[in-house]
């Protein structure tokens, strides 16, 4: 029985590897369009459509992704709030709640242009690329923990990433729209040194 | 005569059939099975069973890659192989479903939320989360958990410091990504066959070129130990068996003695196995090794029998088989009495060895005295007096006699010098003996396993310690109250860096009274004051939905969760923290992480009534120490029993002389371990028991042999050679316990061989 199971696994493995490689190629082609930068600062507008609410929950702010130092998630309106996710050298990372860490990690991975890393969380469900450079990619979560929260992730953009839409398992959606990209030189000693740039 | 042959054939067939029916997991490799069951109180035992059973089944796999996608691919491949292996529970089996606690959402609050409720900060926090990075996740639960209080509680039960976004804990260390996959072994079996298969699987995983994987966990080390021990026993056993066969053929020049030796030892071992499994059910592999060693000694009975039959041409010495049977019987009775004494010890390992050896020796002796005379007919000398082939051992026997005679005389001629030299040798050697009872020192593991373990612990330092605090009380409320006291002391240790963190019942299960207080706090500071309604209305929640939430809240008034119910609904390791109540005694566990100063933790346990610091490794080492001391005393007592058995037959003085041989051999062996710097553990003492049994046989035969027994020296030398080949070779084993066993035996048997000559009387040079 053990041999049968291992045999089946050996037969299935190449198709799994092929699927993973194909997803990586798709995302790598988008990554190459967007380019990768050590530091990215962007304005973001967030709109959450939640089924029990009569109107969307809307907020705006900035996101800073420094590959070396971590991520700043700053909300400017409707009220000011800043959360930092420093890169940690150990397993004991940020003190932020797990949900915040997951979303921040996903968004910073996307905004930071590390599309190849997305295959760790999602598989490519649909891709549309126009000749003038616009793209739209729909991704589905690969692990059951993420799948319990989100049913899909949609990315849209052209030369820059414009929209990320997270669709939750119950159908609610959260849209993150990005604009005013900046690519400042790296060299900051800590994440907090970016805060004056966000005012 | 034919009757005895038929009876023995029948006995062996029945025994073989019985052994064949013994389940394979009845042979255990778990060190704990060798040691006495814990004599501590019931709650401690329950706590140990709960925590250690969990940790004894846990295996951790560390995968690594240069990026997250690669890491997920590695984890996926590993999980597929691990799940297909059939050794482990499925990864989804342990997946936690928080909805099991949802009914109690109004009474289970985190400490942070209680503070916010008091200070009025709950809504501000909810707003921050909904509009912050967690917004997309929080939005999902807004309808059922409008202030996210239950989400906070559920999240507090998950390992907060670990990033689980990939579906397993992962960490990025400067561009190298690591993932930790934890799996639990199926069942509790530590059977040797299961362990060997597990080790083969782990070895194959590590050799898999497509995987970067490190493995650790108690079962991994256990599997390595069992597999290595079995392989070494097989290799060393095969080499020694070949050597023994060669010696028998060279000396006796007939195939029949060899066949009889094999039949009698196999028969002894088979019947011994039947008796031991029947008495104990499960037997440790070390007990089998030591027990088989002791039965292996029964080959000596065969040698003495065959060598004695060489004398058949010399009627003066021979007297038929009666002479040798007296010696064999005395040797058997003394050894069996000494080993049976060990059964009074409260140590399963010792008792298993004792029963196995005593029954095996008895059966082998019985075969020698009943089967051998029926089958083995020595060739008579030719009528002209010339020797037949069988007597060509004469030259060897004479050479041994000359050498042993010379040795004895040299010693006796310089007896003062010998006594002083031996005394100095023993005193210095024994003074250098270092006891080793720390169970960790007995674990020999290859470098790759040790470095893998160190790597996993450095990447994920937050793995729980095997040491924990046990809190006892008359009710769950009292356990909770004491745990709270302990928690405040542990917080101080956290601040001083002596402890990384801890997990206590009070962190997650409020007492029923505290749950009622939580509900009232929510009612006063969130629902009745209208804060929740205002928050939901500001977001655009319809009035009907707000009213429905308030109704649900009112309906749940008075609903609380007992510790027993809570324990069934929480994820590991929280479910280990409540032991329940039995006979009015309730218990809770505080798990500890990153202990830097165990002394201070033990100090807290001493200062607060109802708290115990349970250090299992230390407890096992203490039991090892106690067992070693106990077994050492039993060794002395066994020598005393031997004296009681021998004195009426041989006389008091002669018995003392005879016993001086194994006693001195034991001391010499101990001294040699001191000179070689070999730490003395329980396993050395097991070997010394064997030296006692073998040494007394050598001495008895030498004492009983007259000056005309030409072949006694040959028989003793053959016995010593086979014992050294069989078990002395174990000193080359990489398994610490086997090596200690073999080395002690090697030194002891060599000493017994030399010293036994001193108790032989007369001039045996001429034979």
């Amino acid at each position: 029985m053990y041999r049968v199971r291992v045999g089946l696994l050996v037969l299935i493995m190449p198709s799994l590897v092929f699927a993973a490689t194909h997803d990586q190629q798709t995302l790598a082609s988008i990554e190459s369009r967007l380019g990768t930068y050590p530091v990215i600062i962007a304005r973001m507008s967030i709109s959450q459509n939640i089924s029990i609410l009569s109107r969307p929950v809307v907020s705006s702010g900035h996101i800073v992704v420094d590959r070396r130092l971590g991520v700043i998630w700053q909300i400017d309106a409707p009220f000011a709030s800043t959360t930092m996710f420093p890169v940690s050298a150990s397993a004991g990372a940020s003190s932020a709640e797990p949900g915040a860490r997951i979303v921040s990690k996903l968004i910073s991975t996307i905004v930071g242009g590390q599309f190849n890393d997305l295959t760790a969380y999602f598989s490519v469900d649909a891709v549309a690329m126009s000749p003038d450079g616009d793209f739209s990619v729909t991704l589905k979560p690969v692990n059951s923990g993420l799948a319990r929260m989100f049913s899909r992730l949609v990315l849209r953009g052209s030369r820059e990433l414009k929209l990320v839409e997270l669709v939750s398992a119950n159908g609610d959606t959260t849209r993150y729209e990005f604009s005013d990209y900046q690519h400042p030189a790296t060299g900051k000693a800590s994440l907090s040194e970016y805060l004056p740039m966000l005012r | 005569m034919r009757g005895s042959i038929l009876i023995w054939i029948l006995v062996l067939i029945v025994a073989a059939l019985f052994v064949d029916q013994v389940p394979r997991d009845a042979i255990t490799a778990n060190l704990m099975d060798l040691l006495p069951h814990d004599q501590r109180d019931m709650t401690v035992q329950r706590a140990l069973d709960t925590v250690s059973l969990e940790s004894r089944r846990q295996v951790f796999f560390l995968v690594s890659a240069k990026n997250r996608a690669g890491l997920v691919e590695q984890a996926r491949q590993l999980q597929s192989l691990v799940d297909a292996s059939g050794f482990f529970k499925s990864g989804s089996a342990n997946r936690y479903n928080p909805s099991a606690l949802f009914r109690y959402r109004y009474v289970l609050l985190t400490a942070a939320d209680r503070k916010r409720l008091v200070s009025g900060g709950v809504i501000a926090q909810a707003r921050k989360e909904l509009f912050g990075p967690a917004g997309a996740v929080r939005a999902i639960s807004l309808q059922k958990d409008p202030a996210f209080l239950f989400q906070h509680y559920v999240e507090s039960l998950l390992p907060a410091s670990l990033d689980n976004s990939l579906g397993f804990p992962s960490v990025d260390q400067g561009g190298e990504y690591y993932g930790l996959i934890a799996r639990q072994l199926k069942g509790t079996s530590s059977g040797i066959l299961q362990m060997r298969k597990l080790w083969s699987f782990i070895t194959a995983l590590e050799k898999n070129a497509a995987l970067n994987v490190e493995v650790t966990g108690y079962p991994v080390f256990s599997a390595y130990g069992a597999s290595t021990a079995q392989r070494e026993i097989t290799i060393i056993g095969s080499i020694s068996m070949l050597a023994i066969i060669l010696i028998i053929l060279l000396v006796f020049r007939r195939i029949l003695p060899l066949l009889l030796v094999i039949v009698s030892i196999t028969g002894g071992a088979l019947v011994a196995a039947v008796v031991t499994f029947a008495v104990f059910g499960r037997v440790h592999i070390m007990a089998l090794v030591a027990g088989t060693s002791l039965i292996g000694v029964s080959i000596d009975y065969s040698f003495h029998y065959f060598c004695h039959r060489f004398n058949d041409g010399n009627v003066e010495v021979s007297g038929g088989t009666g002479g040798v049977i007296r010696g064999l019987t005395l040797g058997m009775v003394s050894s069996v009495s000494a080993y049976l004494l060990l059964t009074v010890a409260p140590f399963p390992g010792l008792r298993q060895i004792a029963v196995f050896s005593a029954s095996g020796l008895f059966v082998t002796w019985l075969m020698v005295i009943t089967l051998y005379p029926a089958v083995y007919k020595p060739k008579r000398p030719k009528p002209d007096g010339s020797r037949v082939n069988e007597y060509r051992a004469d030259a060897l026997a004479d050479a041994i006699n000359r050498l042993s005679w010379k040795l004895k005389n040299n010693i006796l001629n310089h007896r003062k010098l010998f006594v002083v030299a031996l005394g100095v040798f023993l005193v210095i050697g024994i003074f250098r003996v270092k006891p080793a009872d720390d169970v960790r020192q007995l674990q020999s593991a290859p470098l790759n396993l040790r470095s893998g373990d160190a790597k996993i612990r450095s990447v994920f330092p937050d793995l729980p310690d095997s040491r924990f605090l046990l809190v006892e009380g008359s009710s769950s409320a009292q356990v909770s109250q004491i745990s709270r006291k302990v928690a405040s002391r542990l917080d101080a240790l956290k601040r001083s860096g002596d402890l990384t963190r801890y997990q206590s019942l009070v962190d997650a299960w409020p007492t029923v009274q505290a749950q009622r207080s939580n509900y009232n706090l929510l009612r006063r500071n969130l629902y009745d004051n209208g804060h929740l309604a205002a928050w939901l209305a500001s977001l655009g929640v319809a009035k009907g939905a707000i009213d429905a939430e308030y109704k649900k809240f009112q309906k749940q008034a008075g609903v609380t969760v007992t510790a027993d119910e809570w324990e069934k609904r929480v994820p590991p390791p929280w479910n280990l923290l409540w032991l329940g109540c039995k006979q009015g005694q309730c218990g809770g566990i505080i798990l500890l992480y990153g202990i830097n100063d165990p002394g201070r933790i033990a100090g807290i346990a001493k200062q607060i009534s109802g708290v115990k610091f349970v250090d299992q490794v230390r407890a096992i080492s203490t039991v090892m120490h106690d067992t070693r001391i106990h077994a050492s005393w039993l060794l002395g007592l066994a020598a005393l029993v031997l004296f009681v058995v021998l004195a009426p037959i041989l006389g008091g003085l002669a018995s003392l002389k005879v016993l001086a041989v194994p006693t001195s051999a034991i001391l010499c062996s101990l001294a040699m371990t001191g000179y070689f710097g070999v730490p003395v553990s329980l396993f050395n003492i097991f070997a010394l028991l064997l030296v006692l049994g073998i040494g007394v046989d050598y001495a008895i035969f030498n004492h009983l042999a007259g000056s005309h027994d030409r072949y006694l020296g040959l028989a003793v030398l053959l016995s010593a050679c086979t014992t050294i080949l069989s078990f002395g070779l174990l000193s080359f084993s990489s398994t610490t316990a086997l090596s200690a066993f073999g080395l002690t035996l090697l030194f002891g048997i060599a000493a017994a061989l030399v010293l036994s000559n001193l108790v032989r009387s007369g001039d045996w040079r001429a034979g």
Side-chain angles (χ1 to χ4, degrees):
Chain A
M1 195 61 199
Y2 172 73
R3 284 183 183 167
V4 172
R5 274 181 296 198
V6 172
L8 282 173
L9 201 69
V10 170
L11 286 174
I12 294 166
M13 202 65 89
S15 61
L16 292 175
V17 171
F18 173 76
T21 312
H22 182 256
D23 287 358
Q24 282 171 2
Q25 283 171 352
T26 305
L27 294 171
S29 70
I30 296 173
E31 188 177 306
S32 65
R33 283 183 187 211
L34 299 175
T36 51
Y37 302 92
V39 182
I40 294 171
I41 299 176
R43 274 197 66 79
M44 61 179 174
S45 301
I46 307 165
S47 172
Q48 298 184 68
N49 286 296
I50 305 169
S51 57
I52 63 157
L53 304 185
S54 57
R55 56 180 179 273
V57 174
V58 179
S59 59
S60 61
H62 287 88
I63 186 165
V64 178
V65 180
D66 183 319
R67 286 195 177 189
R68 194 171 50 85
L69 297 176
V71 176
I72 300 175
W73 188 288
Q74 180 170 291
I75 297 297
D76 303 324
F79 61 92
S81 160
T82 303
T83 313
M84 290 196 235
F85 301 91
V87 169
S88 173
S90 74
S94 165
S95 60
E97 64 269 29
R101 273 188 281 158
I102 290 174
V103 176
S104 150
K105 182 159 279 180
L106 285 179
I107 300 297
S108 63
T109 301
I110 297 164
V111 174
Q114 295 158 288
F115 275 48
N116 192 40
D117 268 8
L118 276 182
T119 53
Y121 308 93
F122 298 95
S123 62
V124 175
D125 192 39
V127 184
M129 294 207 200
S130 69
D132 55 352
D134 288 350
F135 68 85
S136 172
V137 186
T138 304
L139 303 164
K140 287 175 91 170
V142 288
N143 75 62
S144 57
L146 265 187
R148 275 203 296 272
M149 291 189 272
F150 306 113
S151 62
R152 65 180 188 272
L153 170 73
V154 181
L155 312 174
R156 288 198 190 110
S158 53
R159 303 291 298 168
E160 288 175 334
L161 180 74
K162 289 177 180 165
L163 174 85
V164 175
E165 187 176 71
L166 269 172
V167 182
S168 69
N170 65 0
D172 293 347
T173 57
T174 304
R175 291 164 65 93
Y176 302 84
E177 287 179 64
F178 300 97
S179 58
D180 300 343
Y181 278 92
Q182 299 171 52
H183 306 293
T186 185
K188 297 277 191 281
S190 70
L191 279 175
S192 54
E193 289 181 30
Y194 287 106
L195 294 177
M197 297 171 70
L198 306 180
R199 284 180 192 140
Chain B
M1 286 296 178
R2 260 188 208 164
S4 65
I5 298 172
L6 285 174
I7 288 171
W8 278 116
I9 290 173
L10 201 65
V11 167
L12 294 190
I13 290 172
V14 171
L17 286 174
F18 182 93
V19 171
D20 189 52
Q21 294 302 310
V22 170
R24 288 296 168 260
D25 63 354
I27 303 172
T28 171
N30 188 345
L31 189 65
M32 296 297 289
D33 293 339
L34 263 183
L35 303 174
H37 295 300
D38 215 292
Q39 300 299 310
R40 283 167 293 195
D41 67 60
M42 201 173 59
T43 318
V44 175
Q45 195 54 53
R46 251 164 54 219
L48 272 173
D49 288 346
T50 307
V51 176
S52 65
L53 197 66
E54 191 78 10
S55 63
R56 269 196 252 162
R57 284 198 222 149
Q58 201 83 21
V59 176
F60 298 98
F61 301 90
L62 180 82
V63 283
S64 59
K66 292 288 175 197
N67 56 46
R68 282 201 189 93
L71 184 66
V72 168
E73 190 49 39
Q74 287 274 313
R76 200 180 298 163
Q77 284 191 36
L78 175 78
Q79 282 167 330
S80 303
L81 290 170
V82 164
D83 290 342
S85 74
F87 291 113
F88 305 94
K89 286 182 185 172
S90 154
S92 57
N94 288 329
R95 199 152 286 148
Y96 171 55
N97 179 13
S99 63
L101 280 171
F102 185 69
R103 184 165 177 250
Y104 308 107
R105 64 193 179 281
Y106 298 122
V107 293
L108 298 174
L109 298 176
T110 63
D113 280 335
R114 274 197 303 274
K115 270 187 197 164
R116 287 187 198 115
L117 279 165
V118 171
S119 65
V122 167
I123 298 301
Q125 178 64 25
R127 185 186 296 118
K128 190 180 166 194
E129 288 176 23
L130 187 63
F131 287 88
V137 176
R138 288 291 180 251
I140 298 166
S141 57
L142 186 66
Q143 187 171 6
K144 287 183 170 178
D145 183 25
F148 314 130
L149 302 180
F150 182 62
Q151 285 301 306
H152 295 162
Y153 178 79
V154 169
E155 285 164 4
S156 75
L157 297 180
L158 302 173
S161 61
L162 296 179
D163 176 359
N164 265 304
S165 58
L166 296 175
F168 51 86
S170 65
V171 64
D172 166 14
Q173 284 195 345
E176 189 72 31
Y177 292 82
Y178 295 98
L180 187 71
I181 314 286
R183 283 288 188 278
Q184 269 203 328
L185 270 190
K186 278 181 186 167
T188 54
S189 170
S190 52
I192 194 85
L193 198 66
Q194 164 95 341
M195 288 290 109
R196 212 181 62 196
K197 283 184 184 168
L198 176 63
W199 181 245
S200 302
F201 171 71
I202 288 165
T203 313
L205 266 190
E206 288 182 327
K207 282 182 184 163
N208 189 329
L211 283 174
N212 297 322
V213 64
E214 308 275 6
V215 193
T216 193
Y218 185 91
V220 178
F221 285 89
S222 191
Y224 167 77
S227 178
T228 312
Q230 199 187 33
R231 194 181 66 242
E232 286 178 346
I233 288 169
T234 309
I235 293 170
I236 294 172
S238 305
I239 294 171
S240 62
M241 185 55 78
L242 280 175
I244 290 168
I245 289 171
L246 204 64
I247 287 174
I248 293 173
L249 289 177
L250 279 174
V251 173
F252 297 105
R253 302 197 175 216
R254 283 175 71 184
I255 199 81
L256 190 59
L258 177 64
L259 291 177
L260 282 172
V261 162
I262 292 171
V263 168
S264 57
I265 292 182
T266 311
L270 274 177
V271 176
V274 170
V275 173
T276 315
F277 281 113
V279 172
F280 298 100
R282 269 166 77 86
V283 181
H284 195 278
I285 189 171
M286 196 61 210
L288 285 184
V289 171
T292 313
S293 312
L294 287 166
I295 293 176
V297 173
S298 62
I299 198 174
D300 299 3
Y301 297 167
S302 307
F303 288 151
H304 283 290
Y305 183 86
F306 295 134
C307 286
H308 189 83
R309 297 302 297 267
F310 278 157
N311 286 317
D312 277 6
N314 183 346
V315 177
E316 188 191 339
V317 179
S318 166
T321 55
V324 72
I325 287 174
R326 183 174 174 241
L328 291 177
T329 307
L330 197 54
M332 184 278 294
V333 168
S334 55
S335 298
V336 168
S337 310
Y339 292 133
L340 280 180
L341 175 77
L342 300 182
T343 58
V344 303
F347 304 104
L350 276 180
R351 294 171 69 187
Q352 288 171 13
I353 291 171
V355 169
F356 196 98
S357 317
S359 51
L361 279 180
F362 175 75
V363 170
T364 315
W365 165 82
L366 203 59
M367 287 181 95
V368 170
I369 64 163
T370 58
L371 185 66
Y372 284 25
V375 178
Y376 184 75
K377 305 286 181 199
K379 291 174 185 169
R380 292 277 162 199
K382 289 178 182 174
D384 61 1
S386 63
R387 298 289 196 180
V388 290
N389 276 349
E390 197 172 59
Y391 296 90
R392 283 189 182 161
D394 290 358
L396 182 60
D398 291 342
I400 293 166
N401 285 340
R402 280 196 298 275
L403 190 69
S404 58
W405 170 259
K406 201 174 170 185
L407 186 71
K408 178 190 173 183
N409 277 295
N410 274 339
I411 290 173
L412 290 182
N413 290 341
H414 306 90
R415 67 183 69 185
K416 281 182 184 168
L417 182 66
F418 174 75
V419 169
V420 171
L422 184 66
V424 171
F425 168 80
L426 291 180
V427 168
I428 295 175
I430 291 172
F431 186 72
R432 294 163 72 114
V433 166
K434 282 180 190 151
D437 299 311
D438 189 334
V439 71
R440 287 165 296 193
Q441 288 178 5
L442 289 173
Q443 281 186 334
S444 49
L447 190 63
N448 64 326
L449 256 195
R450 277 184 281 138
S451 64
D453 180 70
K455 179 77 186 173
I456 292 172
R457 287 180 191 282
S458 73
V459 176
F460 292 96
D462 208 21
L463 296 178
D465 202 288
S466 64
R467 294 166 286 189
F468 59 88
L469 285 167
L470 172 68
V471 181
E472 291 173 288
S474 58
S475 65
S476 55
Q478 195 186 11
V479 169
S480 197
Q481 187 189 5
I482 299 171
S483 299
R484 204 169 292 281
K485 261 190 213 172
V486 177
S488 65
R489 301 289 300 275
L490 292 177
D491 286 337
L493 291 193
K494 271 171 67 180
R495 285 192 293 274
S496 63
D498 292 322
L499 182 71
T500 308
R501 70 182 182 99
Y502 64 90
Q503 270 181 305
S504 169
L505 187 67
V506 289
D507 295 336
W509 180 77
T511 60
V512 171
Q513 196 184 357
Q515 290 176 46
R516 289 194 187 112
S517 156
N518 284 347
Y519 184 87
N520 289 331
L521 190 63
L522 271 179
R523 185 170 51 76
R524 276 196 317 272
N525 293 7
L526 190 65
Y527 282 79
D528 286 0
N529 63 7
H531 285 185
L532 184 74
W535 152 246
L536 292 176
S538 74
L539 290 173
V541 177
K543 188 169 183 313
I546 299 172
D547 290 344
E549 170 57 30
Y550 270 71
K551 272 185 191 159
K552 279 181 205 159
F553 178 74
Q554 280 164 5
K555 204 177 162 189
Q556 291 295 96
V559 173
T560 53
V561 59
T562 62
D564 289 333
E565 284 299 311
W566 174 84
E567 176 256 318
K568 288 176 199 155
R569 290 169 161 79
V570 287
W574 293 98
N575 59 345
L576 304 177
L577 301 189
W578 173 243
L579 296 171
C581 301
K582 268 190 186 164
Q583 296 166 4
Q585 190 73 352
C586 305
I589 285 170
I590 299 176
L591 291 177
L592 305 165
Y593 296 77
I595 300 172
N596 288 323
D597 189 348
R600 292 191 67 185
I601 309 255
I604 292 174
K606 274 183 193 158
Q607 286 159 16
I608 302 177
S609 170
V611 182
K612 290 188 177 106
F613 180 43
V614 182
D615 183 344
Q616 204 190 356
V617 173
R618 196 168 174 179
I620 294 172
S621 301
T622 306
V623 172
M624 292 276 291
H625 168 267
D626 294 348
T627 312
R628 181 176 59 78
I629 300 294
H630 207 115
S632 304
W633 281 109
L634 281 173
L635 191 64
L637 205 58
L640 202 64
V641 169
L642 284 174
F643 178 76
V644 172
V645 172
L646 294 175
I649 303 161
L650 303 178
L653 192 64
S655 299
L656 281 179
K657 275 169 70 179
V658 162
L659 281 174
V661 172
T663 312
S664 307
I666 285 171
L667 293 176
C668 284
S669 179
L670 268 180
M672 285 301 279
T673 55
Y675 287 115
F676 276 79
V678 179
V680 173
S681 71
L682 179 61
F683 299 101
N684 299 72
I685 308 298
F686 284 171
L688 291 179
L689 286 168
L690 191 52
V691 173
L692 178 69
I694 296 170
V696 82
D697 277 353
Y698 292 176
I700 288 172
F701 280 106
N702 268 290
H703 176 76
L704 292 180
S707 58
H708 302 295
D709 193 340
R710 187 177 185 181
Y711 303 98
L712 188 271
L714 176 64
V716 172
L717 184 67
L718 283 176
S719 303
C721 285
T722 50
T723 307
I724 288 170
L725 278 171
S726 303
F727 314 112
L729 286 181
L730 289 177
S731 50
F732 294 106
S733 168
S734 63
T735 306
T736 312
L738 287 179
S739 166
F741 188 84
L743 212 60
T744 310
L745 208 58
L746 181 68
F747 297 143
I749 295 301
L753 176 68
V754 172
L755 296 173
S756 62
N757 285 309
L758 299 179
V759 295
R760 189 169 180 184
S761 54
D763 181 351
W764 63 85
R765 275 173 303 177

